[in-house]
Amino acid sequence: DVKVTQSSRYLVKRTGEKVFLECVQDMDHENMFWYRQDPGLGLRLIYFSYDVKMKEKGDIPEGYSVSREKKERFSLILESASTNQTSMYLCASSLVQGAGGYTFGSGTRLTVV
Amino acid sequence: EDQVTQSPEALRLQEGESSSLNCSYTVSGLRGLFWYRQDPGKGPEFLFTLYSAGEEKEKERLKATLTKKESFLHITAPKPEDSATYLCAVQAYFGNEKLTFGTGTRLTIIP
């Protein structure tokens, strides 16, 4: 069964900490994405990558960066965590122009205190 | 800017009571419209992709339809296990592989 695996289900971090969220996919997908999901706002795209070492900003990239050193792994970095980054973070992957849309991970619920 | 609006925000149905969820969209050239199901605390799970007006897809008690302005997710004789949040998303031809999501409809089926 194909999978997108996010390394942590729950994280609690302090304001100002540097936070790493890891995502690995085993489907050889070219595209990978990071979204955050907040009540009433839906899923909003933070960053995406269409190839190794390639990245593009999404709709809300401020305060975040990403790294994709290998095709299967896409990391989201919160440079200095703030309370307004408390959210559910969802990683996804897809084929280029794939008909199946995205395959999502189970999510990481991050709380910044 | 691409936009997706889903209605209603929440829907409670008795088991066996059929209904429809709505997804209205504006997009600069529709490549595909996607439906996902999301259970609490989990990531969205892919259900359907629709590409052109008039297209229909079915899976068990679910049927998705598409017009030039909206999509419907019809649920026939639902069961309690159909309770979930249903998300609609669009992908445009021009630009990147991004999906633009609606905020979802939270469906509850009462036994």
PDB file of all heavy atoms in Angstrom, chain A residues 30-53:
ATOM      1  N   GLU A  30       6.854  12.773  -8.169  1.00  0.00           N
ATOM      2  CA  GLU A  30       7.712  13.933  -8.418  1.00  0.00           C
ATOM      3  C   GLU A  30       7.355  15.103  -7.497  1.00  0.00           C
ATOM      4  O   GLU A  30       8.221  15.821  -7.024  1.00  0.00           O
ATOM      5  CB  GLU A  30       7.575  14.397  -9.872  1.00  0.00           C
ATOM      6  CG  GLU A  30       8.136  13.424 -10.899  1.00  0.00           C
ATOM      7  CD  GLU A  30       7.143  12.365 -11.330  1.00  0.00           C
ATOM      8  OE1 GLU A  30       6.018  12.323 -10.798  1.00  0.00           O
ATOM      9  OE2 GLU A  30       7.498  11.562 -12.213  1.00  0.00           O
ATOM     10  N   ASN A  31       6.053  15.316  -7.301  1.00  0.00           N
ATOM     11  CA  ASN A  31       5.585  16.501  -6.568  1.00  0.00           C
ATOM     12  C   ASN A  31       5.355  16.204  -5.096  1.00  0.00           C
ATOM     13  O   ASN A  31       4.794  15.161  -4.738  1.00  0.00           O
ATOM     14  CB  ASN A  31       4.258  17.000  -7.150  1.00  0.00           C
ATOM     15  CG  ASN A  31       4.365  17.346  -8.613  1.00  0.00           C
ATOM     16  OD1 ASN A  31       5.348  17.911  -9.059  1.00  0.00           O
ATOM     17  ND2 ASN A  31       3.336  17.017  -9.365  1.00  0.00           N
ATOM     18  N   MET A  32       5.732  17.124  -4.255  1.00  0.00           N
ATOM     19  CA  MET A  32       5.408  17.041  -2.835  1.00  0.00           C
ATOM     20  C   MET A  32       4.981  18.411  -2.341  1.00  0.00           C
ATOM     21  O   MET A  32       5.426  19.438  -2.862  1.00  0.00           O
ATOM     22  CB  MET A  32       6.606  16.515  -2.027  1.00  0.00           C
ATOM     23  CG  MET A  32       6.976  15.075  -2.386  1.00  0.00           C
ATOM     24  SD  MET A  32       8.199  14.335  -1.310  1.00  0.00           S
ATOM     25  CE  MET A  32       7.203  13.981   0.155  1.00  0.00           C
ATOM     26  N   PHE A  33       4.103  18.395  -1.323  1.00  0.00           N
ATOM     27  CA  PHE A  33       3.438  19.616  -0.879  1.00  0.00           C
ATOM     28  C   PHE A  33       3.367  19.652   0.645  1.00  0.00           C
ATOM     29  O   PHE A  33       3.258  18.611   1.288  1.00  0.00           O
ATOM     30  CB  PHE A  33       1.989  19.659  -1.400  1.00  0.00           C
ATOM     31  CG  PHE A  33       1.849  19.473  -2.879  1.00  0.00           C
ATOM     32  CD1 PHE A  33       1.841  18.205  -3.438  1.00  0.00           C
ATOM     33  CD2 PHE A  33       1.707  20.568  -3.718  1.00  0.00           C
ATOM     34  CE1 PHE A  33       1.699  18.017  -4.809  1.00  0.00           C
ATOM     35  CE2 PHE A  33       1.566  20.394  -5.082  1.00  0.00           C
ATOM     36  CZ  PHE A  33       1.563  19.124  -5.630  1.00  0.00           C
ATOM     37  N   TRP A  34       3.376  20.861   1.183  1.00  0.00           N
ATOM     38  CA  TRP A  34       3.036  21.080   2.577  1.00  0.00           C
ATOM     39  C   TRP A  34       1.862  22.048   2.653  1.00  0.00           C
ATOM     40  O   TRP A  34       1.896  23.138   2.080  1.00  0.00           O
ATOM     41  CB  TRP A  34       4.204  21.665   3.359  1.00  0.00           C
ATOM     42  CG  TRP A  34       5.185  20.646   3.837  1.00  0.00           C
ATOM     43  CD1 TRP A  34       6.419  20.384   3.336  1.00  0.00           C
ATOM     44  CD2 TRP A  34       5.004  19.742   4.935  1.00  0.00           C
ATOM     45  NE1 TRP A  34       7.020  19.374   4.045  1.00  0.00           N
ATOM     46  CE2 TRP A  34       6.168  18.963   5.038  1.00  0.00           C
ATOM     47  CE3 TRP A  34       3.966  19.516   5.850  1.00  0.00           C
ATOM     48  CZ2 TRP A  34       6.340  17.983   6.010  1.00  0.00           C
ATOM     49  CZ3 TRP A  34       4.131  18.543   6.811  1.00  0.00           C
ATOM     50  CH2 TRP A  34       5.301  17.786   6.887  1.00  0.00           C
ATOM     51  N   TYR A  35       0.817  21.597   3.367  1.00  0.00           N
ATOM     52  CA  TYR A  35      -0.352  22.413   3.643  1.00  0.00           C
ATOM     53  C   TYR A  35      -0.503  22.553   5.158  1.00  0.00           C
ATOM     54  O   TYR A  35      -0.068  21.690   5.916  1.00  0.00           O
ATOM     55  CB  TYR A  35      -1.631  21.757   3.118  1.00  0.00           C
ATOM     56  CG  TYR A  35      -1.895  21.902   1.638  1.00  0.00           C
ATOM     57  CD1 TYR A  35      -1.242  21.090   0.722  1.00  0.00           C
ATOM     58  CD2 TYR A  35      -2.802  22.836   1.165  1.00  0.00           C
ATOM     59  CE1 TYR A  35      -1.497  21.215  -0.648  1.00  0.00           C
ATOM     60  CE2 TYR A  35      -3.069  22.965  -0.199  1.00  0.00           C
ATOM     61  CZ  TYR A  35      -2.409  22.147  -1.090  1.00  0.00           C
ATOM     62  OH  TYR A  35      -2.664  22.280  -2.441  1.00  0.00           O
ATOM     63  N   ARG A  36      -1.170  23.618   5.584  1.00  0.00           N
ATOM     64  CA  ARG A  36      -1.656  23.674   6.947  1.00  0.00           C
ATOM     65  C   ARG A  36      -3.177  23.767   6.907  1.00  0.00           C
ATOM     66  O   ARG A  36      -3.750  24.319   5.943  1.00  0.00           O
ATOM     67  CB  ARG A  36      -1.052  24.812   7.757  1.00  0.00           C
ATOM     68  CG  ARG A  36      -1.334  26.200   7.302  1.00  0.00           C
ATOM     69  CD  ARG A  36      -0.726  27.238   8.234  1.00  0.00           C
ATOM     70  NE  ARG A  36      -1.489  27.420   9.473  1.00  0.00           N
ATOM     71  CZ  ARG A  36      -1.144  28.242  10.454  1.00  0.00           C
ATOM     72  NH1 ARG A  36      -0.025  28.965  10.357  1.00  0.00           N
ATOM     73  NH2 ARG A  36      -1.879  28.347  11.540  1.00  0.00           N
ATOM     74  N   GLN A  37      -3.811  23.197   7.934  1.00  0.00           N
ATOM     75  CA  GLN A  37      -5.263  23.135   7.966  1.00  0.00           C
ATOM     76  C   GLN A  37      -5.754  23.730   9.274  1.00  0.00           C
ATOM     77  O   GLN A  37      -5.379  23.269  10.359  1.00  0.00           O
ATOM     78  CB  GLN A  37      -5.757  21.693   7.837  1.00  0.00           C
ATOM     79  CG  GLN A  37      -7.272  21.564   7.750  1.00  0.00           C
ATOM     80  CD  GLN A  37      -7.713  20.131   7.492  1.00  0.00           C
ATOM     81  OE1 GLN A  37      -7.052  19.176   7.889  1.00  0.00           O
ATOM     82  NE2 GLN A  37      -8.845  19.974   6.800  1.00  0.00           N
ATOM     83  N   ASP A  38      -6.576  24.752   9.165  1.00  0.00           N
ATOM     84  CA  ASP A  38      -7.108  25.444  10.326  1.00  0.00           C
ATOM     85  C   ASP A  38      -8.621  25.528  10.214  1.00  0.00           C
ATOM     86  O   ASP A  38      -9.165  25.710   9.101  1.00  0.00           O
ATOM     87  CB  ASP A  38      -6.521  26.863  10.424  1.00  0.00           C
ATOM     88  CG  ASP A  38      -5.012  26.849  10.545  1.00  0.00           C
ATOM     89  OD1 ASP A  38      -4.531  26.462  11.621  1.00  0.00           O
ATOM     90  OD2 ASP A  38      -4.314  27.207   9.568  1.00  0.00           O
ATOM     91  N   PRO A  39      -9.338  25.421  11.332  1.00  0.00           N
ATOM     92  CA  PRO A  39     -10.808  25.485  11.302  1.00  0.00           C
ATOM     93  C   PRO A  39     -11.302  26.752  10.618  1.00  0.00           C
ATOM     94  O   PRO A  39     -10.833  27.853  10.912  1.00  0.00           O
ATOM     95  CB  PRO A  39     -11.170  25.471  12.793  1.00  0.00           C
ATOM     96  CG  PRO A  39     -10.024  24.804  13.460  1.00  0.00           C
ATOM     97  CD  PRO A  39      -8.810  25.214  12.683  1.00  0.00           C
ATOM     98  N   GLY A  40     -12.235  26.590   9.696  1.00  0.00           N
ATOM     99  CA  GLY A  40     -12.822  27.725   9.000  1.00  0.00           C
ATOM    100  C   GLY A  40     -11.992  28.269   7.856  1.00  0.00           C
ATOM    101  O   GLY A  40     -12.488  29.078   7.064  1.00  0.00           O
ATOM    102  N   LEU A  41     -10.729  27.844   7.759  1.00  0.00           N
ATOM    103  CA  LEU A  41      -9.840  28.342   6.693  1.00  0.00           C
ATOM    104  C   LEU A  41      -9.501  27.264   5.680  1.00  0.00           C
ATOM    105  O   LEU A  41      -8.971  27.553   4.613  1.00  0.00           O
ATOM    106  CB  LEU A  41      -8.554  28.899   7.295  1.00  0.00           C
ATOM    107  CG  LEU A  41      -8.714  30.124   8.193  1.00  0.00           C
ATOM    108  CD1 LEU A  41      -7.361  30.521   8.779  1.00  0.00           C
ATOM    109  CD2 LEU A  41      -9.338  31.296   7.439  1.00  0.00           C
ATOM    110  N   GLY A  42      -9.760  26.023   6.017  1.00  0.00           N
ATOM    111  CA  GLY A  42      -9.457  24.940   5.093  1.00  0.00           C
ATOM    112  C   GLY A  42      -7.975  24.669   4.978  1.00  0.00           C
ATOM    113  O   GLY A  42      -7.177  25.045   5.846  1.00  0.00           O
ATOM    114  N   LEU A  43      -7.597  24.021   3.898  1.00  0.00           N
ATOM    115  CA  LEU A  43      -6.188  23.716   3.639  1.00  0.00           C
ATOM    116  C   LEU A  43      -5.561  24.853   2.843  1.00  0.00           C
ATOM    117  O   LEU A  43      -6.098  25.264   1.812  1.00  0.00           O
ATOM    118  CB  LEU A  43      -6.060  22.423   2.833  1.00  0.00           C
ATOM    119  CG  LEU A  43      -6.152  21.108   3.597  1.00  0.00           C
ATOM    120  CD1 LEU A  43      -7.595  20.757   3.889  1.00  0.00           C
ATOM    121  CD2 LEU A  43      -5.468  19.996   2.816  1.00  0.00           C
ATOM    122  N   ARG A  44      -4.421  25.325   3.334  1.00  0.00           N
ATOM    123  CA  ARG A  44      -3.703  26.395   2.639  1.00  0.00           C
ATOM    124  C   ARG A  44      -2.294  25.929   2.321  1.00  0.00           C
ATOM    125  O   ARG A  44      -1.602  25.382   3.181  1.00  0.00           O
ATOM    126  CB  ARG A  44      -3.674  27.662   3.501  1.00  0.00           C
ATOM    127  CG  ARG A  44      -5.054  28.298   3.693  1.00  0.00           C
ATOM    128  CD  ARG A  44      -4.962  29.528   4.575  1.00  0.00           C
ATOM    129  NE  ARG A  44      -4.630  29.167   5.947  1.00  0.00           N
ATOM    130  CZ  ARG A  44      -4.238  30.036   6.875  1.00  0.00           C
ATOM    131  NH1 ARG A  44      -4.095  31.317   6.561  1.00  0.00           N
ATOM    132  NH2 ARG A  44      -3.971  29.630   8.090  1.00  0.00           N
ATOM    133  N   LEU A  45      -1.856  26.186   1.087  1.00  0.00           N
ATOM    134  CA  LEU A  45      -0.572  25.696   0.619  1.00  0.00           C
ATOM    135  C   LEU A  45       0.560  26.566   1.145  1.00  0.00           C
ATOM    136  O   LEU A  45       0.570  27.785   0.952  1.00  0.00           O
ATOM    137  CB  LEU A  45      -0.550  25.683  -0.910  1.00  0.00           C
ATOM    138  CG  LEU A  45       0.720  25.177  -1.568  1.00  0.00           C
ATOM    139  CD1 LEU A  45       0.954  23.704  -1.234  1.00  0.00           C
ATOM    140  CD2 LEU A  45       0.634  25.376  -3.076  1.00  0.00           C
ATOM    141  N   ILE A  46       1.556  25.917   1.758  1.00  0.00           N
ATOM    142  CA  ILE A  46       2.708  26.642   2.296  1.00  0.00           C
ATOM    143  C   ILE A  46       3.838  26.654   1.261  1.00  0.00           C
ATOM    144  O   ILE A  46       4.328  27.700   0.851  1.00  0.00           O
ATOM    145  CB  ILE A  46       3.196  25.991   3.599  1.00  0.00           C
ATOM    146  CG1 ILE A  46       2.061  25.901   4.631  1.00  0.00           C
ATOM    147  CG2 ILE A  46       4.366  26.783   4.185  1.00  0.00           C
ATOM    148  CD1 ILE A  46       2.412  25.073   5.858  1.00  0.00           C
ATOM    149  N   TYR A  47       4.275  25.473   0.861  1.00  0.00           N
ATOM    150  CA  TYR A  47       5.326  25.308  -0.133  1.00  0.00           C
ATOM    151  C   TYR A  47       5.070  24.026  -0.908  1.00  0.00           C
ATOM    152  O   TYR A  47       4.404  23.113  -0.417  1.00  0.00           O
ATOM    153  CB  TYR A  47       6.705  25.162   0.544  1.00  0.00           C
ATOM    154  CG  TYR A  47       7.496  26.418   0.719  1.00  0.00           C
ATOM    155  CD1 TYR A  47       7.497  27.093   1.935  1.00  0.00           C
ATOM    156  CD2 TYR A  47       8.291  26.906  -0.315  1.00  0.00           C
ATOM    157  CE1 TYR A  47       8.248  28.250   2.107  1.00  0.00           C
ATOM    158  CE2 TYR A  47       9.053  28.059  -0.144  1.00  0.00           C
ATOM    159  CZ  TYR A  47       9.025  28.722   1.063  1.00  0.00           C
ATOM    160  OH  TYR A  47       9.781  29.854   1.240  1.00  0.00           O
ATOM    161  N   PHE A  48       5.624  23.959  -2.094  1.00  0.00           N
ATOM    162  CA  PHE A  48       5.639  22.692  -2.800  1.00  0.00           C
ATOM    163  C   PHE A  48       6.945  22.538  -3.573  1.00  0.00           C
ATOM    164  O   PHE A  48       7.687  23.505  -3.781  1.00  0.00           O
ATOM    165  CB  PHE A  48       4.417  22.520  -3.701  1.00  0.00           C
ATOM    166  CG  PHE A  48       4.398  23.408  -4.905  1.00  0.00           C
ATOM    167  CD1 PHE A  48       4.788  22.922  -6.138  1.00  0.00           C
ATOM    168  CD2 PHE A  48       3.958  24.710  -4.808  1.00  0.00           C
ATOM    169  CE1 PHE A  48       4.749  23.738  -7.256  1.00  0.00           C
ATOM    170  CE2 PHE A  48       3.918  25.533  -5.918  1.00  0.00           C
ATOM    171  CZ  PHE A  48       4.323  25.047  -7.143  1.00  0.00           C
ATOM    172  N   SER A  49       7.189  21.295  -3.985  1.00  0.00           N
ATOM    173  CA  SER A  49       8.414  20.953  -4.694  1.00  0.00           C
ATOM    174  C   SER A  49       8.057  20.030  -5.838  1.00  0.00           C
ATOM    175  O   SER A  49       7.336  19.053  -5.651  1.00  0.00           O
ATOM    176  CB  SER A  49       9.395  20.271  -3.744  1.00  0.00           C
ATOM    177  OG  SER A  49      10.456  19.680  -4.472  1.00  0.00           O
ATOM    178  N   TYR A  50       8.574  20.325  -7.032  1.00  0.00           N
ATOM    179  CA  TYR A  50       8.284  19.489  -8.184  1.00  0.00           C
ATOM    180  C   TYR A  50       9.495  18.666  -8.619  1.00  0.00           C
ATOM    181  O   TYR A  50       9.438  17.950  -9.625  1.00  0.00           O
ATOM    182  CB  TYR A  50       7.740  20.317  -9.352  1.00  0.00           C
ATOM    183  CG  TYR A  50       8.571  21.523  -9.688  1.00  0.00           C
ATOM    184  CD1 TYR A  50       9.618  21.434 -10.590  1.00  0.00           C
ATOM    185  CD2 TYR A  50       8.307  22.750  -9.095  1.00  0.00           C
ATOM    186  CE1 TYR A  50      10.382  22.531 -10.900  1.00  0.00           C
ATOM    187  CE2 TYR A  50       9.073  23.860  -9.392  1.00  0.00           C
ATOM    188  CZ  TYR A  50      10.104  23.747 -10.295  1.00  0.00           C
ATOM    189  OH  TYR A  50      10.861  24.841 -10.591  1.00  0.00           O
ATOM    190  N   ASP A  51      10.571  18.771  -7.863  1.00  0.00           N
ATOM    191  CA  ASP A  51      11.751  17.969  -8.173  1.00  0.00           C
ATOM    192  C   ASP A  51      12.735  18.129  -7.031  1.00  0.00           C
ATOM    193  O   ASP A  51      12.630  19.069  -6.220  1.00  0.00           O
ATOM    194  CB  ASP A  51      12.368  18.419  -9.488  1.00  0.00           C
ATOM    195  CG  ASP A  51      13.254  17.350 -10.113  1.00  0.00           C
ATOM    196  OD1 ASP A  51      13.503  16.303  -9.472  1.00  0.00           O
ATOM    197  OD2 ASP A  51      13.710  17.556 -11.263  1.00  0.00           O
ATOM    198  N   VAL A  52      13.722  17.267  -6.992  1.00  0.00           N
ATOM    199  CA  VAL A  52      14.752  17.373  -5.958  1.00  0.00           C
ATOM    200  C   VAL A  52      15.427  18.739  -6.052  1.00  0.00           C
ATOM    201  O   VAL A  52      15.721  19.235  -7.140  1.00  0.00           O
ATOM    202  CB  VAL A  52      15.785  16.244  -6.130  1.00  0.00           C
ATOM    203  CG1 VAL A  52      16.925  16.417  -5.145  1.00  0.00           C
ATOM    204  CG2 VAL A  52      15.122  14.894  -5.950  1.00  0.00           C
ATOM    205  N   LYS A  53      15.598  19.343  -4.898  1.00  0.00           N
ATOM    206  CA  LYS A  53      16.235  20.651  -4.748  1.00  0.00           C
ATOM    207  C   LYS A  53      15.442  21.788  -5.371  1.00  0.00           C
ATOM    208  O   LYS A  53      15.925  22.929  -5.427  1.00  0.00           O
ATOM    209  CB  LYS A  53      17.669  20.635  -5.314  1.00  0.00           C
ATOM    210  CG  LYS A  53      18.596  19.673  -4.562  1.00  0.00           C
ATOM    211  CD  LYS A  53      20.027  19.861  -4.982  1.00  0.00           C
ATOM    212  CE  LYS A  53      20.931  18.833  -4.315  1.00  0.00           C
ATOM    213  NZ  LYS A  53      20.995  19.003  -2.858  1.00  0.00           N
TER     214      LYS A  53
END
